[in-house]
Each structure stands twice: as structure tokens, then as C-alpha cells.
């Protein structure tokens, strides 16, 4: 047995299975921790792509704070690719979010706007050439409970308005995440990956693989539609101590990707 | 979409993919922690099967201590199935280990004996009806570097003398773990699963999936040979703080099992 072959096989595995799907984190997972600890935990589990959360860097931050925080994240070796999820209740929230995204040099804003703000968003994606992805929040969300509802609202807008499918909230809303991803592939900009303990509105977040979401099917679907965005872990159990559950979830998804 | 179907699918997944391979832990992973913390970390990552280590419960312990520790482990909901790895340098070590295993009511002793003790071990497995598995320790181990060396020594003994294949040490010794598992399936009693960072004698433990061991192939092999024992994680990186890496490793293996 030549160990060079094994190394070559490992490198190939890394190139094919691991890097075709880009894994990252939605920093909401670290809601109860400061930014430096959020960065450290992201590094510990070996994730590369980072979506900063307004909790760590508020939308109302001064320009220099935004630039500084973005620099800190990138100097830690992370790809700061998005901000979110950003709550948008008025025009000013939309305008601020795009200015923030420009300063942080991210390509995507994940947002939870009100429906009446969509025309403003449609103007801003053109003005800034920054994409905005509507994040669905499940049955309690009167605006965008599931991806299909969001898609119907945005499909006639600029193609830079799209979706961040949260697969937990999607299934809580009675929609199979794999079907949603395939159906709305043309507007799928970001994914929040997770698992939930029951497939109803009452579903709560849990370690990937311990719940009811068919993650092998979902990841096969992402490969099938040649999804080129980030798959970001949003881990919402044990939020005071998320590292172990996040690590287990990351391992689970990597294991599936190594096997499919 | 009927959520009952999803729940049924999840239950079926659990029955088929997850439960055909029994996942457990070799408590050596928690070498730097007391038994209660070893138990707590095992529970946290959702592993069921537990191999107690002499560090937590020495072979020289009084009978009542052994009985008490075994009770503590079982009352925590864990399946105490083995003890090990037990160092055996003289006859007394062999005799004590079997008495210990009987008191702890485990079915397997994982051991690192000297070759000259094998006839004594062969007597003891018959006397106690407790199996003993030789644990291979890699190139530095002059007795049993790889499973094939151990198998040649034990193949003519009672069938209750067998192997605990440590896939990290096996690959460090230049042997592909999947080939060893298939070749010695008839005497494979236990497995220490892990990953190593390079496929040479210098390989060090790392999170499953980040190293060079072909774990999808290995797990497919275990299914193919209908391996009915435990696959025990022996995590040897960050031993002062192993939870995150162990959790990632457990997730990785569960992900593969969910996908194959």
C-alpha cells in the first residue's frame, strides 16, 4: 500500500466532495457570544464562510466599526460573504443594510423585510449590485413563512433578489426543503442548514442527523441543481454552549458529502 | 406533505442506517477527565456503548469499586460492553483483567499483551467465557503493530480470542483498515474508529473526515461483513478539551451511515 496514493485520494476527496459544496456558518449560532468567540468557534469546526449577524455588528454601526469588524473576520482567515438575518421594517432599514453590506464588502444580504419594502429592495440591488435573499421564518412568519411564498413575491423583480432557504423553518411550514431548493434553484442565494426534532410547526433545532430532516436527500439535491452558494450552519440548540452540537452537525454534513 | 410520513421515514432511517452499526466510545478519549465527565461527554454526543478505561477504573481496583463504577456507568443509560485497552505484561495482569471483566459484567477485554501471555489468555477466555481482543498499536508496537500480525498469533486459539482493530494504528502501520476488517472478520470483536492526518507512522489523530482514512469505504466494509460489534470512537486530538472534535467525528460517521 503506497501512502502517496492515500494522500492523493484524500486530496481528491477534498477537491470533489468537500469543495463542491461550500460550508459556512450563520453567526446567529453564536448569538450569545462576542464576535471574537464566534470567529474562534467557526475556526475550531473548520468552517470557512461566515455570515455576520447584526447582533455582533449592528446595522446602525458607524462606518469605521463595520470596516474594522469585516477586517477582523477576514484576517482570521474567514470568507465574510454575507450579513444577516437583517430585520427590515422601514425604508431606512433597507437603505442602511445596503450601505452596511457595501462597507463590509459582502455579496449577499439575508433579510426578513416586510412585503411592502420589496420595491425599495428591488431598486437597491440594482444601485449597489449586491444581492438580497429573503429568509423564510416558518409558520409564525406572516410575511414569508416558506420559500414558495417568498418566491411568488420576488420572481418578477431583478434576479439579484432571491432566497435564503432555511430548511428548518421550511419543514416547520410543511414544505420539504429538497423540493423547495429544486423548485426555486434559480433564485437560491444562500442556505441555512440545520435539523429539527419534529416535522411540525413545533419543531425545535437539534444536532444534524438527530432530527427528521432528510439531509442526504437535501445535499444530493444541492449537487443536482449545481448550487454554487454557501451552505451555512445555523445551530439553534444549546445556544449558551453551541460548540459541541455545531461540531456534530458539521461532521454529519461532511460525512454525507464524503459518501454521496 | 404529511408530517407522519416524515416521522416514519426518520424512524426507519434510525432503524436501518443508524442501528445496524452500533456506535460507542473508548473512554481513553477522556483520559484527562474523571469518570463522571467521561460519562457526561459520552451522553452529550449521543453515544450509547461505553468501553471503560483502566485510567478511570484501574485493573487493581477493589471488587466493590469495580461493581460500583459499572453501576454508575449503566445507570447513566450507557451500555458498558468492554474494558480496555489493558496492558498485560505478566500472568497476574491477565488473571486480574478477567476477574475485573467478570465483576464489571463486560463481554470483551481489549488488551495489549505480550505474545508469551497468549496461551494463558486462551485458557482464561474458556474459563470465564469472556472474549479478549488484541488491540494493534502501530509500527512502534513490537508485539502487535498491525491486525495481520495479531491474527497470525491467535488464529489457532479459541474463537473467543480475537481483534480490536484500531484503524488509525493500522494505517500508520501501512495496512488499509478496510482490507484488514474484511480479512479478519471472523475474529473482529471491536473497532476503534478515528482519523489520522497522514498515512505514515507519523500520523496523528484528528477529527474524522479531516484526515486520510477512507471512512466511507471502511463503514461500507463493516456493513458488507455484517459486523455486529461496537464501533468505538477513540479520539486522541485536543485531549484536554476533546468534546468538539469527538462530536465532529461522531457526526461525520453518522452522516456517512445515513448516506450509504
Amino acid at each position: 500500500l503506497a501512502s502517496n496514493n492515500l494522500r492523493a485520494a484524500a486530496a481528491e476527496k477534498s477537491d470533489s466532495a468537500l469543495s463542491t459544496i461550500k460550508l459556512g456558518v450563520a453567526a446567529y449560532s453564536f448569538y450569545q457570544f462576542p464576535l471574537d468567540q464566534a470567529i474562534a468557534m467557526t475556526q475550531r469546526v473548520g468552517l470557512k464562510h461566515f455570515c455576520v449577524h447584526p447582533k455582533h455588528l449592528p446595522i446602525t454601526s458607524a462606518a469605521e466599526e463595520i470596516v474594522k469588524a469585516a477586517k477582523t473576520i477576514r484576517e482570521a482567515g474567514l470568507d465574510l460573504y454575507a450579513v444577516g438575518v437583517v430585520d427590515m421594517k422601514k425604508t431606512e432599514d433597507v437603505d442602511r443594510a445596503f450601505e452596511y453590506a457595501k462597507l463590509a464588502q459582502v455579496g449577499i444580504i439575508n433579510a426578513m423585510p416586510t412585503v411592502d419594502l420589496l420595491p425599495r429592495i428591488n431598486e437597491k440591488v440594482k444601485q449597489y449590485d449586491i444581492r438580497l435573499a429573503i429568509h423564510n421564518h416558518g409558520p409564525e412568519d406572516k410575511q414569508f413563512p416558506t420559500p414558495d411564498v417568498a418566491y411568488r413575491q420576488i420572481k418578477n423583480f431583478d434576479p439579484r433578489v432571491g432566497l435564503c432557504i432555511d430548511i428548518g423553518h421550511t419543514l416547520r411550514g410543511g414544505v420539504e426543503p429538497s423540493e423547495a431548493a429544486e423548485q426555486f434553484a434559480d433564485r437560491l442565494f444562500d442556505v441555512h442548514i440545520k435539523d429539527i426534532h419534529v416535522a411540525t410547526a413545533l419543531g425545535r433545532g437539534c444536532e444534524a442527523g438527530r432530527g427528521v430532516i432528510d439531509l442526504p436527500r437535501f445535499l444530493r439535491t444541492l449537487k443536482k441543481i449545481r448550487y454554487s452558494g454557501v451552505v451555512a450552519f445555523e445551530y439553534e440548540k444549546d445556544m449558551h454552549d453551541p460548540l459541541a452540537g455545531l461540531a456534530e452537525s458539521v461532521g454529519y454534513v461532511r460525512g454525507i458529502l464524503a459518501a454521496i
Side-chain angles (χ1 to χ4, degrees), chain A:
Chain A
L1 172 130
S3 62
N4 277 341
N5 285 348
L6 283 163
R7 280 195 291 268
E12 192 181 297
K13 179 179 78 172
S14 162
D15 283 351
S16 66
L18 297 180
S19 71
T20 54
I21 299 282
K22 293 186 278 191
L23 299 181
V25 72
Y28 180 72
S29 308
F30 311 119
Y31 192 84
Q32 297 186 21
F33 297 85
L35 182 61
D36 62 338
Q37 288 186 51
I39 290 171
M41 287 189 268
T42 303
Q43 291 171 320
R44 178 87 189 262
V45 297
L47 293 173
K48 177 89 183 152
H49 307 278
F50 193 89
C51 173
V52 68
H53 191 270
K55 169 77 178 182
H56 300 122
L57 185 62
I59 293 298
T60 52
S61 303
E64 54 269 34
E65 287 175 52
I66 296 170
V67 170
K68 190 182 159 201
K71 190 163 176 270
T72 300
I73 294 165
R74 293 198 171 100
E75 284 180 352
L78 303 177
D79 164 39
L80 176 59
Y81 77 101
V83 52
V85 179
V86 182
D87 225 355
M88 295 177 174
K89 291 195 163 50
K90 46 191 194 298
T91 303
E92 195 189 3
D93 299 332
V94 177
D95 296 358
R96 274 193 170 147
F98 277 88
E99 199 53 34
Y100 175 113
K102 181 185 171 187
L103 287 163
Q105 296 181 279
V106 300
I108 300 174
I109 299 165
N110 287 322
M112 193 165 62
T114 53
V115 172
D116 62 301
L117 290 173
L118 290 175
R120 181 73 172 190
I121 286 168
N122 193 41
E123 285 170 31
K124 290 289 171 183
V125 297
K126 295 176 198 169
Q127 182 188 336
Y128 284 83
D129 191 23
I130 291 173
R131 295 187 294 170
L132 184 138
I134 309 283
H135 180 279
N136 60 293
H137 259 98
E140 310 80 12
D141 176 0
K142 297 305 170 206
Q143 309 274 336
F144 306 109
T146 50
D148 51 303
V149 175
Y151 188 85
R152 277 198 300 275
Q153 295 282 357
I154 57 107
K155 66 181 177 189
N156 295 323
F157 286 133
D158 187 281
R160 286 166 287 196
V161 185
L163 306 179
C164 169
I165 292 188
D166 180 306
I167 67 173
H169 291 307
T170 299
L171 188 54
R172 290 203 310 109
V175 173
E176 165 58 44
S178 298
E179 288 170 16
E182 190 158 2
Q183 205 172 348
F184 310 121
D186 65 321
R187 295 283 180 121
L188 186 57
F189 298 166
D190 203 0
V191 166
H192 284 179
I193 198 162
K194 58 184 63 174
D195 206 348
I196 56 173
H197 84 302
V198 292
T200 70
L202 299 174
R204 290 190 308 275
C206 65
E207 297 84 353
R210 299 205 205 185
V212 295
I213 298 186
D214 188 342
L215 287 164
R217 177 181 175 190
F218 182 70
L219 292 162
R220 283 192 181 98
T221 300
L222 293 185
K223 288 200 151 195
K224 181 182 169 191
I225 66 174
R226 297 176 180 277
Y227 174 67
S228 62
V230 171
V231 174
F233 290 88
E234 193 179 50
Y235 186 69
E236 293 168 296
K237 184 185 169 191
D238 304 324
M239 292 195 82
H240 63 291
D241 177 24
L243 184 61
L246 173 64
E248 185 179 324
S249 300
V250 171
Y252 188 79
V253 167
R254 286 203 187 112
I256 293 170
L257 292 174
I260 64 176

